[in-house]
Amino acid sequence: MQEIIRIENLSKSFKEVKAVKELSFSVNEGELFAFLGVNGAGKSTTISIMCGQLKKDNGKVFINGFDIDNDKNSIKRNIGAVFQNSVLDKALNVYDNLKSRAALYGISGKMFEKRLDEISNMLELHDLHKRTLGRLSGGQRRRVDIARALVHDPKILILDEPTTGLDPQSRKKVWDCLAQLRKNRNMTVFLTTHYMEETADADRVLIIDDGRICAMGTPLELKNKYSGDFVSIYGISEAEVQMLKRPYEKIVGGYRLFVNDTAQAVELIMRHGELFGDFEITKGRMDDVFLAVTGKQLLGRN
C-alpha cells in the first residue's frame, strides 16, 4: 500500500497545556482511518496542523509526499475537510456556496459546471442547487459540506465528527455517500467520531488520549487484544448457566457469558455441548476497547 499521510514526532502546546505529545503514525492511500479520543485528547489539534490552520511546535507532517513546512499550498489542494460546525453561508443557495468555494481554487465556468455535476451525482444534490442552505435539513447540509470539501478534487477527505447530531437515516445517507467515494475514487478518509459503530468498517483505528497514542490496529486486532467475546445462550435455566463457571448476565430469553476470546468460547461449547442447543458468539465492541485502553467512554454511543 502507498502511504499518503505520515506524521513524525508531532508536538503542540498551548502555554502550559501539551495538546499533542510526540505523535507518530501513517495512513495509506484509500484507507478509512478512524482517529478516536475524548474531547481534549488532541484530535482537533492534530487535524488543524494537518490542514495548515495551526502551526506545530515540533515534528514533521507529510501529506501525499509534500512537507507541510515547505509545501503548505500543495497540501491544502490535496485535502478536503468537513468540520463539525459548517463553514457554509446559510444565506446563499447550494449552487452559490459551491461556486464561491470552487473559485478559491481557480475552478470556474465550464470546469465548475462539470465538477458540480460530478459531485451532485455522487452526493445526490441536483435537486438542492437552488435551495437556500439555511432551509435544508441537517443531513442535507452535511452532504453539501462534503461537496464543498470535494469541489477541488482532493485525494484526502478529513471528517471531524461528520454525523454528530444527525438522525439515523441521515447518518446512513452520509455513510452511503462516503462508501461510494471510497469505492469509485479510492478516496482516503480520515475520520473522527463519537459513534463507535462507525469505526466497524475502518481499515485501522488509532486511539489517542492526553496527546499520545494509546492503541492502533484494525478493529478486529483491537477487539481481540482489549476486549473479550460473548456467548449468548438460550433455552436453559440459570442453574445450568452456573454450571459453566463463567461470568454471565441475564438477557431477554437467555444469558450472556463472558469469555476471553473465540477459542475459549469454542472450548466451552465443545465441553458442554448438551447445553448449547441455541447460542451465538459475538465479538467484543469498540466501546469496550476504548474503555479498556483509556479508562474513559466516548459520548454518542447508540
Side-chain angles (χ1 to χ4, degrees), residues 220-253:
L220 180 59
E221 288 170 345
L222 294 176
K223 285 188 282 189
N224 282 340
K225 184 173 182 179
Y226 295 104
S227 154
D229 289 359
F230 306 94
V231 181
S232 298
I233 183 170
Y234 307 97
I236 67 173
S237 68
E238 186 165 7
E240 289 173 313
V241 170
Q242 290 173 347
M243 291 170 51
L244 299 173
K245 294 181 169 48
R246 295 299 309 170
Y248 69 90
E249 64 182 5
K250 188 172 179 58
I251 59 175
V252 176

Side-chain angles (χ1 to χ4, degrees), residues 152-260:
H152 60 294
D153 198 20
K155 291 183 176 294
I156 301 163
L157 182 61
I158 294 178
L159 302 167
D160 190 9
E161 298 178 26
T163 60
T164 296
L166 299 185
D167 61 84
Q169 184 177 0
S170 296
R171 286 173 58 201
K172 182 180 184 303
K173 191 72 170 178
V174 168
W175 275 102
D176 287 345
C177 293
L178 295 174
Q180 287 300 311
L181 282 169
R182 296 189 64 220
K183 178 181 177 180
N184 298 331
R185 306 180 68 84
N186 197 34
M187 179 76 67
T188 302
V189 177
F190 189 97
L191 167 77
T192 78
T193 181
H194 278 162
Y195 297 106
M196 297 302 289
E197 67 271 24
E198 293 185 340
T199 69
D201 294 326
D203 295 291
R204 285 187 298 153
V205 177
L206 185 157
I207 298 175
I208 183 175
D209 190 44
D210 194 27
R212 299 184 187 276
I213 295 175
C214 296
M216 183 165 61
T218 68
L220 180 59
E221 288 170 345
L222 294 176
K223 285 188 282 189
N224 282 340
K225 184 173 182 179
Y226 295 104
S227 154
D229 289 359
F230 306 94
V231 181
S232 298
I233 183 170
Y234 307 97
I236 67 173
S237 68
E238 186 165 7
E240 289 173 313
V241 170
Q242 290 173 347
M243 291 170 51
L244 299 173
K245 294 181 169 48
R246 295 299 309 170
Y248 69 90
E249 64 182 5
K250 188 172 179 58
I251 59 175
V252 176
Y255 299 88
R256 180 182 290 123
L257 302 168
F258 299 90
V259 293
N260 294 333

